[in-house]
């Protein structure tokens, strides 16, 4: 990583941490250079990187200002900023994003999946059942993630699996929280069985409906067994 890359990462972290909130100005170029023990050229290159991601904007004659995260154009930066928001809100927004991507992906996978893909899905579902019986949340989460990854790859479109790459840590954390609840594991297995059956049928509309029902179940379980339960304990 170059000095400018390193400084851009430091500035982004400071922005996400709230050191430089939205619409505030970054320190002047010279001050940043002194603080970081780098040249002004390095500062300019770092700021240029953040401008390219629309994390900051330059106002001529006034300085460099931080943009609100909803104007950023770099997915990884947006995901990092989102992870600082309220956990319940983040989980619900993540399900919304999953619904948009996974419903269409499952529809496409229904007509492109191979017998090898179906065999993998059966293995992952069996692992989910085994983990649920053993009360092994970590194994359940991994099998759940592997099931969905296989559906993404079964689309035969190399771009689709990459769409979830930046969400990885949040997906694991969210599933770990919900999968710790026995009833949620039961619900999840039933819906994964329906998704698998739809993919086996090769019917794209049935596959889309099955995944959409799973997303509905996921959202309902989150609100009922996690968010409401936490509110009741508070």
């Amino acid at each position: 990583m170059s000095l400018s890359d390193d400084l851009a990462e430091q500035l982004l972290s400071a922005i996400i941490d709230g050191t430089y909130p939205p619409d505030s100005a970054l320190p002047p170029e010279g001050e940043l250079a002194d603080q970081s023990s780098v040249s002004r050229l390095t500062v300019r290159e770092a700021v240029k990187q953040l401008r390219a991601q629309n994390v900051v904007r330059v106002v001529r004659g006034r300085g460099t200002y931080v943009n609100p995260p909803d104007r950023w154009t770099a997915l990884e930066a947006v995901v990092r900023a989102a992870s600082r928001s309220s956990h319940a809100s983040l989980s619900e927004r993540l399900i919304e994003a999953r619904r948009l991507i996974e419903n269409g992906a499952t529809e496409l996978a229904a007509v492109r999946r191979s017998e090898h893909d179906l065999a993998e899905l059966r293995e992952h579902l069996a692992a989910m059942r085994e983990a649920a019986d053993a009360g092994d949340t970590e194994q359940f989460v991994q099998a759940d993630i592997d099931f969905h990854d296989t559906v993404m790859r079964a689309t035969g479109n190399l771009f689709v699996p990459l769409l979830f790459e930046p969400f990885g840590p949040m997906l694991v954390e969210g599933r770990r929280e919900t999968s710790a609840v026995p009833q949620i594991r039961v619900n999840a297995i039933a819906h994964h069985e329906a998704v698998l059956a739809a993919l086996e049928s090769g019917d794209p509309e049935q596959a889309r409906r099955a995944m959409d029902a799973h997303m509905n179940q996921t959202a309902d379980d989150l609100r009922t067994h996690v968010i409401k339960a936490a509110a009741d304990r508070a």
Side-chain angles (χ1 to χ4, degrees):
M1 181 181 288
S2 68
L3 287 174
S4 60
D5 290 338
D6 187 54
L7 180 56
E9 171 61 27
Q10 291 178 38
L11 289 172
L12 178 59
S13 294
I15 290 169
I16 291 172
D17 289 344
T19 302
Y20 306 119
D23 296 319
S24 68
L26 293 183
E29 187 178 276
E31 186 177 330
L32 284 175
D34 291 341
Q35 287 176 357
S36 305
S37 299
V38 296
S39 68
R40 286 174 177 257
L41 178 59
T42 297
V43 173
R44 283 188 216 114
E45 287 299 317
V47 170
K48 183 178 178 181
Q49 289 185 40
L50 296 179
R51 287 182 65 192
Q53 300 172 12
N54 214 35
V55 173
V56 300
R57 65 187 184 278
V58 173
V59 179
R60 191 175 299 278
R62 294 180 57 192
T64 302
Y65 290 80
V66 177
N67 286 326
D70 62 5
R71 292 177 57 187
W72 300 359
T73 55
L75 183 56
E76 183 178 351
V78 172
V79 170
R80 286 174 58 186
S83 66
R84 303 283 298 183
S85 64
S86 101
H87 183 67
S89 173
L90 176 63
S91 296
E92 292 188 288
R93 295 296 176 268
L94 190 55
I95 292 172
E96 290 176 352
R98 288 183 60 194
R99 185 192 300 275
L100 290 172
I101 298 170
E102 295 201 57
N103 287 5
T106 307
E107 181 179 17
L108 185 59
V111 296
R112 292 188 176 175
R113 87 291 185 276
S114 65
E115 287 304 316
H116 178 71
D117 293 326
L118 294 176
E120 281 194 8
L121 290 169
R122 294 182 191 110
E123 290 177 7
H124 299 323
L125 184 54
M128 289 176 68
R129 294 192 189 102
E130 179 182 335
D133 290 341
D136 188 333
T137 300
E138 290 300 318
Q139 182 185 341
F140 189 91
V141 167
Q142 188 58 58
D144 186 350
I145 289 174
D146 289 343
F147 185 100
H148 286 266
D149 284 347
T150 300
V151 173
M152 297 298 104
R153 286 186 285 104
T155 63
N157 185 313
L158 60 87
F159 296 107
V160 173
L162 298 177
L163 294 174
F164 272 119
E165 192 77 23
F167 299 113
M170 288 193 295
L171 287 171
V172 172
E173 181 183 350
R175 279 183 168 97
R176 186 178 289 129
E177 181 177 40
T178 55
S179 297
V181 181
Q183 185 58 52
I184 291 181
R185 293 198 294 267
V186 171
N187 295 344
I189 288 172
H191 280 276
H192 282 76
E193 288 172 344
V195 170
L196 175 56
L199 291 172
E200 289 173 330
S201 76
D203 183 334
E205 183 55 36
Q206 181 184 343
R208 172 182 278 275
R209 288 197 304 268
M211 183 57 78
D212 191 53
H214 175 36
M215 292 296 106
N216 287 337
Q217 165 257 316
T218 301
D220 288 344
D221 282 346
L222 175 69
R223 288 189 288 266
T224 302
H225 297 286
V226 177
I227 296 175
K228 184 177 183 299
D232 290 343
R233 290 194 299 270

